[in-house]
Each structure stands twice: as C-alpha cells, then as structure tokens.
Amino acid sequence: LGNPKKPNWNLLNLTFSPYPDLLRKKVIDVGQGFKLTSQEWVELAESITEIYAQAARACDPKGLAEFVGCHGQTFWHRPPGVNRRGASLQMLLAPLLAQLINKPIIYDFRAADLAVGGQGAPLVPLADEALLGRLEGWRAVLNLGGIANMTVIPPKIGPDRFADVLGWDCGPANTLV
C-alpha cells in the first residue's frame, strides 16, 4: 500500500515448508526432461498448488494477510535473445490457490516482465530496495534461491542517489542441491 519505494507493510511471519519427498523427486525429474502426460501435468500442478496453500496457511495461521504473491514453481526459464522472445514456464494454479486460502493471488510475475521485453528474473531487486531501503552508501544483497542473484542498492544521499536499483542473476545456488 502507498508509495512503492516506501510501502506500508508488515512481515507477519515466516516458515519453511519443504516439498514432500515424492513431489520433490517428480519436480526434479521433470526439470531433467522426464516426460509427463497432460493428466500428469495437471496433477503435478495441483500438488504444487496444494503445497503452496499449506505453506501459506502455516505462514499466516490467523489469516491476517490481505493477498498472497506467488509465482509458482519454475520449470523452464528462457530470457529474450536475438530473434526470440523470452518465455517462462511456472507451475501454479493460481485460481485454485485463491480458493484454497480464500485470498487474492498476485502471480505470473515473470511472464509479465518478459512480455514487456524484460528478463523475467531476478524478481527481487525492487522488493529488496523497498524492504531494506537506501543507506548512506551503496550496498549489495545476495539472494540464494534456485539461481543466485544480486541486488545493488544505491545510496540515499550524494551524487548517486538518483541511480536505479540494479539486479542480475550471478550463478547457480540451491539448484545444485
């Protein structure tokens, strides 16, 4: 709510909800090229969405959140290149998630950025700036998600105060696990 540079928000809680072993194995197998039927794709999407719903309820047991942001499980991401559009396959049944947790869902972040010529990733630089703010000097934030990405936040004073926040992928991280 309010100014995107200084949003009015509160971190309610945090939790860790790993995929169950069988789902984790299936996600890894599909990422490595294992073929699925159309029915199996839908069942996988449902399973992933149900796990996200469990995680959302665990993180917000009192139901205080006004909405949930979730981009889903990335199965394939292709940034734009010479003579090709960018594309990303995110597995999430957002309307189902909205029903399961009874909250509006904001989703498909990568596709929206790719559609306007962006890279679709990393997703966190502007959130990093909003959460952490600007200080007297430059600072960097390293996000170790599936792919590691770096955010560089300019200072709030001095000649660089009007510089843009920068962000880029910088190598593998938890994907290797």
Side-chain angles (χ1 to χ4, degrees):
L1 300 171
N3 181 342
K5 297 281 186 188
K6 294 183 187 226
N8 180 13
W9 58 9
N10 295 306
L11 181 61
L12 300 174
N13 193 8
L14 57 102
T15 187
F16 174 69
S17 300
Y19 282 169
D21 289 341
L22 290 175
L23 179 58
R24 181 179 174 276
K25 182 182 181 330
K26 184 164 252 181
V27 167
I28 291 169
D29 289 347
V30 170
Q32 297 298 315
F34 185 81
K35 305 295 182 201
L36 297 179
T37 66
S38 297
Q39 178 180 341
E40 290 169 326
W41 272 110
V42 169
E43 290 168 355
L44 179 59
E46 286 175 334
S47 295
I48 289 169
T49 302
E50 288 168 2
I51 293 299
Y52 284 1
Q54 289 173 16
R57 286 191 294 266
C59 194
D60 185 20
K62 295 180 182 177
L64 299 175
E66 295 180 28
F67 59 87
V68 171
C70 183
H71 75 79
Q73 172 66 53
T74 303
F75 277 95
W76 185 254
H77 182 77
R78 182 189 71 205
V82 177
N83 298 322
R84 82 166 185 218
R85 289 186 182 102
S88 196
L89 176 60
Q90 308 301 129
M91 191 61 57
L92 176 69
L93 301 176
L96 174 60
L97 181 58
Q99 289 300 311
L100 292 172
I101 65 172
N102 197 30
K103 301 278 182 207
I105 307 298
I106 300 169
Y107 64 102
D108 219 1
F109 314 132
R110 293 187 195 281
D113 188 53
L114 289 162
V116 296
Q119 298 288 307
L123 297 172
V124 298
L126 295 177
D128 284 344
E129 179 188 22
L131 283 169
L132 302 172
R134 294 182 180 211
L135 298 174
E136 281 69 37
W138 286 86
R139 67 174 157 168
V141 179
L142 177 62
N143 173 28
L144 297 174
I147 300 296
N149 51 68
M150 180 72 67
T151 299
V152 178
I153 303 172
K156 68 178 180 180
I157 58 174
D160 293 328
R161 70 186 178 277
F162 298 114
D164 290 332
V165 172
L166 304 172
W168 60 90
D169 289 338
C170 57
N174 291 310
T175 296
L176 299 175
V177 176

